[in-house]
Amino acid sequence: IGVVVSTTGSAVLQQYAEMVLDGARLAAEQQSGARRNVELVVRDDGGTAAGAAAAVRELEQAGVRVIVGPLVDEALTAAARDRGSEATLIISPTAVAASAARNVYALNVPDTRGAAALGEYARRYARVGVLYARSPDMTAQARAFMDAYSRGGHGNVRDAGFAPAATNVSAQLNQLRQARVEAIFFPASERHLQLVLPQVDYFGLGGAQLLGNEAWLSDAMRSIPARLMEGAVVATPLWR
């Protein structure tokens, strides 16, 4: 079994590489026995897409047909494109973009089904707002929510997206307040939850029904006042 990780490159990728390697080694030990020995063939992609493509080609030449990694979307795309055969199975444990390529899987794709379920739930409200950073993963969740909520021309939804690097979302919150929204769907990272939720309260939107994604169950929420979380409805693929 091949493993493509970034043992060199950025410090963040090196940290993830260490965790993925630990998991792969543990699994190999558990699956090895008297009748079968599982061998891991590890290659470093250097944290680049070109490095990942080269690593996959090298593993194929070594007879590997199942590969764990690479770790990021660009590297996964390059590896899938440049492999010698579509029969080579590639599974990235950390990539977030779904791949249309045959036998290529990303295990960290955003949970759009949870967002769609919340969109269905929110149809009980006539006016809703969607507050989100316009990053690919949060945009996918926001779009899934809005599509489910608005199906058949239902209700009134206010799109209040903001730049991913923004720290002040006063303009978007003013829009939601002026629209008199009854519920707000806020799919967010842990960082944006800590930055934005206090602003929601400050702008007088604390009375709206809050709807959130899995980050709302993370450790980051321990620093958020409990009154802001009271009554929130959250969809998550992993109950912690």
Side-chain angles (χ1 to χ4, degrees), residues 131 169-170 172-184 196-210 227-228:
L131 182 66
V169 295
S170 57
Q172 289 80 7
L173 293 173
N174 267 323
Q175 292 175 15
L176 297 180
R177 182 172 59 184
Q178 292 168 7
R180 295 182 292 115
V181 297
E182 302 169 85
I184 299 172
V196 174
L197 269 184
Q199 296 180 53
V200 171
D201 187 51
Y202 178 80
F203 276 83
L205 291 163
Q209 173 64 60
L210 296 180
R227 57 186 171 77
L228 297 181

Side-chain angles (χ1 to χ4, degrees), residues 4 6 13 45 47-50 52-53 69-81 90-101 104-110 135-138:
V4 177
S6 306
L13 283 178
D45 63 13
T48 69
L71 302 184
V72 297
D73 295 343
E74 297 81 1
L76 179 61
T77 299
R81 181 187 63 236
I90 301 178
I91 305 174
S92 173
T94 52
V96 299
S99 175
V104 178
Y105 300 93
L107 302 187
N108 203 28
V109 175
S135 59
D137 50 345
M138 298 309 167

Side-chain angles (χ1 to χ4, degrees), residues 130 132 138-148 159 185:
V130 184
Y132 65 100
M138 298 309 167
T139 298
Q141 294 189 54
R143 179 54 55 191
F145 175 91
M146 289 188 281
D147 288 347
D159 184 327
F185 176 50

Side-chain angles (χ1 to χ4, degrees), residues 138 186-195 197 212-224 229 234-240:
M138 298 309 167
F186 183 28
S189 65
E190 295 181 16
R191 171 180 171 270
H192 279 130
L193 281 172
Q194 293 175 321
L195 285 172
L197 269 184
N213 63 341
E214 64 273 8
W216 286 60
L217 298 179
S218 68
D219 291 340
M221 298 305 291
R222 294 175 185 234
S223 63
I224 302 296
M229 288 292 294
V234 176
T236 177
L238 177 63
W239 177 253
R240 295 173 52 173

Side-chain angles (χ1 to χ4, degrees), residues 50-85:
V56 167
R57 290 194 299 268
E58 185 178 333
L59 288 170
E60 284 183 311
Q61 292 169 4
V64 169
R65 291 294 175 263
V66 178
I67 298 171
V68 176
L71 302 184
V72 297
D73 295 343
E74 297 81 1
L76 179 61
T77 299
R81 181 187 63 236
D82 291 357
R83 62 190 162 153
S85 169

